[in-house]
Amino acid sequence: MRTEDFDFLAKLLKQRSGLMLTQDKVYLLESRLTPIARERGLAGLDELISKLRSSRDEGLMNDVTEAMTTNESFFFRDNTPFDLFRDHVLPMLEKRRTNKKIRIWCAAASTGQEPYSLAMILKENWHKWQSWNIEIIATDISAQVLDKAKRGHYSQFEVQRGLPIQMLIKYFKQDGEVWKISDEIRRMVNYREFNLLDNFASLGQCDILFCRNVLIYFDQPTKSDVLGRMSQLLAADGALFLGSAETVLGITDKFRPVRSRRGLYVQSAAPDDLIT
Amino acid sequence: MKQCLVVDDSKVIRRVARRILEELNFEVEEAVDGKDALEKSLSNTPAVVLLDWNMPVMDGLEYLKAMRASPNIAQPIVVFCTTENDMSHIRAAIEAGANEYIMKPFDREIIEAKFSQCGLL
Ligand SMILES: C[S@@+](CC[C@H](N)C(=O)[O-])C[C@H]1O[C@@H](n2cnc3c(N)ncnc32)[C@H](O)[C@@H]1O
């Protein structure tokens, strides 16, 4: 691929989704964008790039942006964050939220495994939470992954990566090759298309924020910007979860890690003993 | 090193499972059916049993029931690993005392995920 073409695509992707494209990902451009070119009756990647250059075709730019996202996810990914959510963050909010309202935002929800894992944890303790008003808002830039998330249909492979068998028995129905998540869990999650580069005003305040395995694709200034704005949206005593390869250290001073609780962060101004 | 007993009548499956488990630092023993497994695990209880369902002589579920009914021995964690992939089999296995359940085909990632859920990793 010619350098100017690579630069053009890299700039487009960075603008639209924050994705930082490095030279070693050229093969990804080729394997993911060639099918889009074909679908549109274009000869190949070169023709797709000239089309993008000459027309400002929103639909095409969207398809290209979505195609370049990495959507891998699994239930209870890395386990620890979900244990911390259940054993430390929820008990803290249970004490502090006398109005019995909790808002959870999954900011890069992909195909739904993350918000559904949270919903299942709440369901497991339903006697405690049923009188509460708990909202789970799950967003992603990709309409395609959200469609799958809303449907809640998973393959045998997907339900075996991280989902305890007891939860499969309780919260899924089998239909041939497909495992369908139960309506009671599905209804607990609200899905919405949302780009993290956009203004957060429409989302409203939240108490718990899962932003896992998406910042890794952004460059440093974009990470700082997103985390800075998240700090404004998150309650002063809220909790932030990042992916296992992500951190706030050296990126923003708005959050600090909770000691010996991997992946869990609180506002820098939060009291020391907020989460123990 | 934790011990894992791999119970499967297929030599190929035992070999694949052994390779994955050794990479995960388990000491692996093999059994060819439920009866063989019962004898081996009664004389030397492993930390975990990776258990096929359909086998000659004694199947996986019979092994599990016999194992769970035997008093005075340390009980292993039992993870089914079978082509039986319908809810009724899964329920029957869990009711009989299985800790986890893998539907074949499996790979390293699935074994790793299930074993760590059982606190083995
Ligand atoms: C690897 S998945 C992470 C899924 C889940 N959070 C997890 O940890 O398993 C990353 C997701 O981020 C989404 N994404 C990428 N850029 C985004 C942006 N600018 N705004 C919102 N979502 C974005 C992708 O569409 C993708 O579904």
Side-chain angles (χ1 to χ4, degrees), chain A residues 29-49 51 60 63-64 67:
Chain A
L29 284 173
E30 277 158 5
S31 65
R32 293 195 185 167
L33 300 188
T34 310
I36 295 185
R38 298 257 161 76
E39 261 168 47
R40 307 238 167 183
L42 304 167
L45 194 49
D46 288 339
E47 220 173 282
L48 180 78
I49 292 169
K51 180 109 200 275
L60 185 58
D63 287 356
V64 166

Side-chain angles (χ1 to χ4, degrees), chain A residues 72 74 76 79 156-157 159-166 168-170 172-174 176-177 179, chain B residues 85-88 90-91 94 98-107 109-110 113-114 116-117:
Chain A
E72 190 184 50
F74 24 103
F76 299 97
N79 290 316
Q156 177 170 304
F157 182 70
V159 297
Q160 299 213 81
R161 290 173 84 190
L163 185 71
I165 199 72
Q166 299 281 5
L168 182 77
I169 295 175
K170 263 193 250 178
F172 287 78
K173 283 218 160 49
Q174 187 178 24
E177 298 284 289
W179 293 86
Chain B
N85 66 352
D86 57 282
M87 201 61 111
S88 55
I90 297 175
R91 276 183 204 278
I94 300 301
N99 300 79
E100 260 299 340
Y101 198 105
I102 294 170
M103 298 173 260
K104 285 175 182 169
F106 62 96
D107 61 7
E109 266 186 84
I110 290 175
K114 292 288 185 182
S116 66
Q117 266 153 35

